[in-house]
Amino acid sequence: PFDLIIALKKREQSIMPFLLFDTYTGLGAGIRGNLDFDKYGELNIAAIGWTKGEWEAKVRYQKEIVDRLWLFAQSDRLYNRDEKVTLWRPQWGAEYATRSGWNAKLLFSQRELIETTMRPGVDQRFNVWKDPEIRLTSPWYGPNFSKLSFSAVHGRYQDNTYITNPWVKRYGLIADMRGNPDVSWNNFKPYYGARYTYYDYDSGVRKQKITDAWAGMRWNIGSFKFVSQYAQRWVDGDSSLTWDRYAKRRDFYQLVSFPLPIGKSWEKWDFSVAGTYSLETEQIAEVFYRLNYNKHCVTWQFWVRDKVASNEKQMGLTFFINAFPEYKIGLGSDALGSRSTGF
């Protein structure tokens, strides 16, 4: 019934509307998208107004000055629901990516809003200064059953969420492993992964070692699809910072997805629900619901995220072309390209 052109480059996307609901800010309506100025760079913008009186915005300009080297400047006006304050949060820097997959990033930021999951279903927000942070990330190496990637990070940080804390220097080394072996046993397909993180604060004053590991199985019974996963985190040491102070956790994750017997022959409805159970607190920590409506070449997706452990709820509506699911140009927070608090 209509023609919709999908650009194959992110920076060629146009401005689109979105809707979002959040427990703390209410119902919001806004716009987001990219404006490409060719050799003069590109501009990414997003803005939303909430029924409870707040408004938030993001503006980012970036330009490729030489092949694969980008300079960027960004300013976000974001609400910190923990402090109940809205601030402008500027950041700037440079990013370089090699053709072989290596990535280097230099970042300066002021009052950057960082959201840390303290435990499943409970997030905490911090205002962090980075002056600067340097990060180097390798590409993935190895076969599907054991892919490896490595990162190194060094920075100077200050957290002034409630009080002004002293500046802290941090060095970090991170090793990631992912496994998706090309095997299956009667519709059971396994996967697994692990991450080891080592942080050194102020040249050995404090150290923190975090090990995350998870293993899961994708399986189905007829048209019902399931994903079952167990994850665990071990923590040794402590942090001089508040926003990267991790705690041990043991979680079980379960997803169920199935088609709904409604609609015409050219329409498809399906529903999925995913929950996270914390073995540490012995409670259901978070539940995610999703309803998909697929007609011809497009899908509408309505979703609700219920953070049971913290009594927070979010919901949204997403629209995308089936051939290009990565270009979610419709309504909803996951069309923003960011998981920052609020939007």
Side-chain angles (χ1 to χ4, degrees):
F2 59 88
D3 292 325
L4 180 61
I5 299 174
I6 296 295
L8 296 180
K9 293 184 179 180
K10 180 180 178 181
R11 63 183 183 180
E12 294 175 358
Q13 295 181 26
S14 58
I15 304 298
M16 298 295 294
F18 67 90
L19 295 174
L20 182 63
F21 172 82
D22 187 274
T23 300
Y24 292 90
T25 49
L27 181 65
I31 58 170
R32 51 93 47 192
N34 297 279
L35 299 174
D36 183 12
F37 301 107
D38 197 22
K39 64 179 181 180
Y40 299 106
E42 58 186 85
L43 189 67
N44 178 272
I45 60 174
I48 186 171
W50 300 96
T51 55
K52 293 188 178 181
E54 292 291 338
W55 66 274
E56 298 177 281
K58 298 178 182 180
V59 181
R60 177 186 174 96
Y61 173 78
Q62 61 185 25
K63 178 176 172 55
E64 188 175 19
I65 56 172
V66 296
D67 185 35
R68 311 181 79 82
L69 175 61
W70 292 82
L71 297 181
F72 64 88
Q74 178 173 332
S75 188
D76 301 337
R77 188 182 193 271
L78 296 177
Y79 176 70
N80 185 333
R81 68 187 67 171
D82 295 338
E83 287 190 306
K84 296 180 173 57
V85 63
T86 304
L87 297 172
W88 283 102
R89 307 170 188 276
Q91 56 182 268
W92 61 96
E95 188 166 3
Y96 179 73
T98 69
R99 298 186 185 279
S100 59
W102 285 87
N103 182 274
K105 185 175 183 179
L106 172 68
L107 174 64
F108 294 83
S109 67
Q110 298 179 357
R111 299 177 295 277
E112 180 181 348
L113 189 59
I114 292 181
E115 182 176 294
T116 302
T117 300
M118 310 309 290
R119 65 179 191 273
V122 179
D123 301 320
Q124 191 170 345
R125 286 141 287 272
F126 302 91
N127 301 322
V128 178
W129 296 59
K130 299 178 180 179
D131 188 30
E133 178 184 78
I134 303 171
R135 182 179 296 270
L136 179 66
T137 305
S138 79
W140 288 94
Y141 296 103
N144 288 338
F145 64 83
S146 182
K147 285 187 174 294
L148 299 173
S149 179
F150 305 93
S151 300
V153 60
H154 170 59
R156 183 171 173 264
Y157 309 91
Q158 184 185 60
D159 171 20
N160 61 358
T161 305
Y162 296 103
I163 62 174
T164 301
N165 291 290
W167 286 91
V168 174
K169 291 182 179 180
R170 185 188 72 171
Y171 302 85
L173 295 173
I174 303 166
D176 281 289
M177 188 275 288
R178 301 287 188 273
N180 289 282
D182 299 323
V183 297
S184 62
W185 306 291
N186 295 325
N187 294 326
F188 288 83
K189 292 184 66 65
Y191 67 91
Y192 44 83
R195 166 178 282 197
Y196 176 78
T197 304
Y198 172 83
Y199 286 137
D200 181 298
Y201 305 89
D202 286 331
S203 301
V205 173
R206 285 187 178 181
K207 296 180 181 180
Q208 185 178 204
K209 304 171 185 177
I210 308 111
T211 303
D212 291 282
W214 58 92
M217 194 78 69
R218 299 181 181 92
W219 49 292
N220 67 279
I221 300 177
S223 60
F224 284 71
K225 298 179 181 179
F226 303 85
V227 178
S228 305
Q229 175 182 291
Y230 174 78
Q232 186 164 349
R233 172 182 291 162
W234 298 265
V235 179
D236 180 24
D238 195 11
S239 171
S240 299
L241 303 165
T242 54
W243 52 274
D244 73 344
R245 191 174 296 165
Y246 295 97
K248 66 178 183 179
R249 53 187 290 185
R250 293 179 299 135
D251 313 318
F252 179 76
Y253 168 88
Q254 180 64 56
L255 177 142
V256 182
S257 176
F258 53 90
L260 298 176
I262 57 177
K264 306 295 184 180
S265 60
W266 58 85
E267 298 175 314
K268 294 181 180 179
W269 292 81
D270 66 81
F271 177 77
S272 65
V273 57
T276 301
Y277 181 82
S278 172
L279 297 171
E280 294 288 338
T281 61
E282 297 183 341
Q283 69 171 156
I284 296 176
E286 186 175 48
V287 184
F288 193 92
Y289 307 91
R290 185 172 59 200
L291 176 65
N292 289 335
Y293 170 64
N294 185 324
K295 183 177 181 180
H296 300 308
C297 62
V298 299
T299 293
W300 288 91
Q301 185 181 93
F302 174 71
W303 57 267
V304 177
R305 184 185 182 192
D306 185 0
K307 299 181 183 178
V308 181
S310 58
N311 196 29
E312 298 178 22
K313 292 181 175 62
Q314 292 178 313
M315 63 180 67
L317 187 63
T318 302
F319 165 78
F320 59 89
I321 305 300
N322 295 336
F324 302 94
E326 65 274 24
Y327 297 101
K328 294 185 177 182
I329 59 174
L331 318 175
S333 69
D334 57 354
L336 287 170
S338 173
R339 289 191 64 254
S340 61
T341 181
F343 91 112

